[in-house]
């Protein structure tokens, strides 16, 4: 909202919702293409295009998931720091320290949860944590907004800077809605598969987006263009309530990261033949070394460049745009070419071209934003 303003932000969020629903629906309709269930996005791409497309899609997915994980570690670290500052604002503990603590906790969680299906109970906790954060953030923002003087809702920056910021924000919009791993998330869905996937998508992009809208619009209304990237840094209220919200944000980040890191864990487990009891010495050692090493590197990158908004922009630009919009439209075009009329084919090609241009523009904007922030904030910055 900050780099887009009221009109651009509201229109952008709604358009991103509709476009994301459409693109994910295309992927869902191809889930059983060729009479085979494709439970990985890269499997679907490989089936349609061949081995090279499989590898390219997996590379894009990996980049997407790696930067999502980076964002979650930064978010978890920011939540821990915000909790610390509530009780001891002595500047002794810096953000990189909290990111390191968050990375350690994420690593321990990854070692203790051997596979995605073992998350069952934790997903229930995840829902509770999310609702607690949403309710607290909304109520405190609403209270502040009612009491605050007039806010500035103008788009920050001027000239070229403002244009690049707006372009980068478009990548943030698509990043907020998409993961590039719809088949993986819906791998265990019941028959009829496509019909149930569509039901899930309709629910996600209607009822599911309402909490996002609620917190986003209320936060921007309450604080204007001075709103912090991490909303709880802007709110005022009882210390224990803010601490509770920060802790729920931290715990939710740990669980959510595991969901988005699971495709990488599953790939490595399959490649190295890890199966059987999770407590087997070989399997446990593998999780400690491989998952631990992966998250150590992820945590290092998070602490090195803790620019959460910049990572969101870059992730949306280099992987979410291609995976969710360009590839989805082209796969559908190739798979259904004999069943599409000329207008439908033209429509998909226009989508491919438009989102290709958007991806390039957003990548340039995100890299410029990172370069600017790197001059403003030194490495391992305490944001």
């Amino acid at each position: 909202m900050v780099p887009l303003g009221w009109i651009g932000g509201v229109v952008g969020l709604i358009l991103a919702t509709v476009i994301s629903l459409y693109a994910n629906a295309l992927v869902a309709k191809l889930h059983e293409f060729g009479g085979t269930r494709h439970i990985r996005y890269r499997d679907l791409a490989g089936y349609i295009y061949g081995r090279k497309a499989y590898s390219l899609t997996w590379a894009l997915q990996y980049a997407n998931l790696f930067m999502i994980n980076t964002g979650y570690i930064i978010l978890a670290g920011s939540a821990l720091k915000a909790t610390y500052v509530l009780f001891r604002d002595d500047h002794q503990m810096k953000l990189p320290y909290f990111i390191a603590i968050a990375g350690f906790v994420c690593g321990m969680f990854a070692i203790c949860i051997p596979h995605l299906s073992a998350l069952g109970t934790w997903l229930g906790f995840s829902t509770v944590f999310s609702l607690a954060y949403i309710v607290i953030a909304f109520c405190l923002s609403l209270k502040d907004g009612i009491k605050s003087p007039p806010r500035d809702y103008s788009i920050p920056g001027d000239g070229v800077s403002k244009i690049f910021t707006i372009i980068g924000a478009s990548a943030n919009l698509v990043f907020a809605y998409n993961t590039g791993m719809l088949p993986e998330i819906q791998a265990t869905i019941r028959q009829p598969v496509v019909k149930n996937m569509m039901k899930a998508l309709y629910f996600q992009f209607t009822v599911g987006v309402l909490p996002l809208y609620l917190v986003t619009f209320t936060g921007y209304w309450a604080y204007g263009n001075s709103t912090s990237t991490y909303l709880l840094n802007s709110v005022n209220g009882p210390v224990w309530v803010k601490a509770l919200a920060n802790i729920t944000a931290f715990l939710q980040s740990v669980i959510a990261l595991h969901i988005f890191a699971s495709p990488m864990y599953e790939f490595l487990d399959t490649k190295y033949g890890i199966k059987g009891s999770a407590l087997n010495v070989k399997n446990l050692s593998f999780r400690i070394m491989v998952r631990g090493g992966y998250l150590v590197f992820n945590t290092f990158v998070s602490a090195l460049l803790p620019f959460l908004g910049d990572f969101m922009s870059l992730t949306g630009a280099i992987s979410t745009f291609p995976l969710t919009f360009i590839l989805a439209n082209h796969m559908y075009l190739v798979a259904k070419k004999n069943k599409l009329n000329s207008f439908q084919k033209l429509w998909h090609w226009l989508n491919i071209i438009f989102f290709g241009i958007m991806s390039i523009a957003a990548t340039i904007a995100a890299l410029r934003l990172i370069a600017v922030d790197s001059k403003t904030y030194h490495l391992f910055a305490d944001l």
Side-chain angles (χ1 to χ4, degrees):
M1 293 295 291
V2 172
L4 294 173
W6 270 120
I7 297 176
V10 173
V11 173
L13 276 169
I14 294 173
L15 277 178
T17 304
V18 175
I19 293 170
S20 298
L21 170 60
Y22 174 74
N24 280 280
L26 295 180
V27 176
K29 291 175 181 178
L30 295 177
H31 189 68
E32 292 184 311
F33 177 63
T36 303
R37 284 195 65 182
H38 307 283
I39 61 172
R40 301 179 186 87
Y41 200 7
R42 59 187 184 273
D43 290 342
L44 176 60
Y47 185 85
I48 294 175
Y49 301 114
R51 187 67 190 178
K52 290 184 179 179
Y54 173 95
S55 301
L56 177 60
T57 303
W58 179 222
L60 288 173
Q61 274 193 301
Y62 174 75
N64 195 45
L65 296 173
F66 180 84
M67 283 193 278
I68 288 175
N69 294 339
T70 300
Y72 271 120
I73 294 174
I74 294 172
L75 178 59
S78 299
L80 282 181
K81 182 189 174 184
T83 305
Y84 176 83
V85 169
L86 288 173
F87 299 97
R88 288 190 59 185
D89 193 6
D90 54 12
H91 302 288
Q92 294 299 307
M93 290 286 286
K94 310 295 184 182
L95 179 59
Y97 304 155
F98 291 107
I99 288 177
I101 295 171
F104 175 78
V105 175
C106 289
M108 292 299 296
F109 189 78
I111 292 167
C112 294
I113 306 296
H115 41 73
L116 195 57
S117 59
L119 266 179
T121 303
W122 290 103
L123 292 177
F125 283 115
S126 174
T127 303
V128 173
F129 295 147
S130 297
L131 288 174
Y133 173 87
I134 290 167
V135 170
I136 294 173
F138 169 72
C139 291
L140 294 182
S141 298
L142 183 64
K143 179 178 67 68
D144 287 347
I146 292 173
K147 296 180 179 180
S148 296
R151 279 78 71 190
D152 183 5
Y153 297 113
S154 61
I155 299 175
D158 51 21
V160 175
S161 176
K162 184 181 290 188
I163 294 173
F164 275 107
T165 302
I166 292 172
I167 294 173
S170 67
N172 280 355
L173 290 175
V174 299
F175 176 79
Y177 292 110
N178 300 285
T179 62
M181 52 182 283
L182 176 66
E184 288 86 346
I185 293 174
Q186 301 282 18
T188 58
I189 200 166
R190 297 172 181 171
Q191 293 286 354
V193 175
V194 174
K195 184 177 180 180
N196 286 332
M197 287 180 76
M198 291 303 300
K199 286 181 179 178
L201 286 173
Y202 288 138
F203 180 84
Q204 174 189 345
F205 286 100
T206 52
V207 177
V209 298
L210 294 181
L212 172 67
Y213 287 169
L214 187 68
V215 173
T216 301
F217 295 149
T218 306
Y220 185 63
W221 167 76
Y223 310 106
N225 60 18
S226 63
T227 308
S228 171
T229 301
Y230 180 59
L231 180 60
L232 291 181
N233 285 337
S234 297
V235 303
N236 299 293
V239 171
W240 72 270
V241 176
K242 294 173 65 176
L244 177 62
N246 284 314
I247 292 170
T248 60
F250 168 73
L251 294 174
Q252 162 63 5
S253 298
V254 173
I255 298 172
L257 181 145
H258 190 74
I259 296 172
F260 293 107
S262 288
M264 174 54 65
Y265 300 157
E266 180 264 339
F267 170 76
L268 293 170
D269 288 349
T270 301
K271 182 176 181 179
Y272 292 101
I274 302 301
K275 52 187 176 181
S277 173
L279 297 178
N280 178 285
V281 174
K282 175 189 174 184
N283 296 349
L284 183 59
S285 301
F286 181 85
R287 291 203 304 278
I288 292 173
M289 296 298 294
V290 176
R291 295 188 185 187
Y294 172 74
L295 287 171
V296 164
F297 179 66
N298 222 171
T299 302
F300 174 76
V301 173
S302 303
L304 183 70
L305 294 169
F307 315 130
L308 180 59
D310 300 1
F311 270 105
M312 289 170 62
S313 297
L314 189 60
T315 301
I318 68 173
S319 56
T320 309
F321 267 126
L323 279 174
T324 306
F325 301 111
I326 300 172
L327 186 59
N329 273 279
H330 196 269
M331 284 196 303
Y332 194 82
L333 186 65
V334 172
K336 304 288 186 178
K337 60 183 177 181
N338 296 326
K339 299 180 180 179
L340 302 177
N341 58 40
S342 298
F343 176 78
Q344 290 172 319
K345 291 178 181 178
L346 176 62
W347 165 251
H348 288 292
W349 275 115
L350 288 175
N351 280 329
I352 293 165
I353 295 169
F354 173 76
F355 288 114
I357 294 172
M358 284 296 297
S359 178
I360 294 171
T363 299
I364 295 171
L367 290 174
R368 179 184 180 278
L369 187 60
I370 290 174
V372 170
D373 281 346
S374 296
K375 293 177 182 178
T376 305
Y377 306 107
H378 57 78
L379 299 180
F380 298 102
D382 183 32
L383 301 183

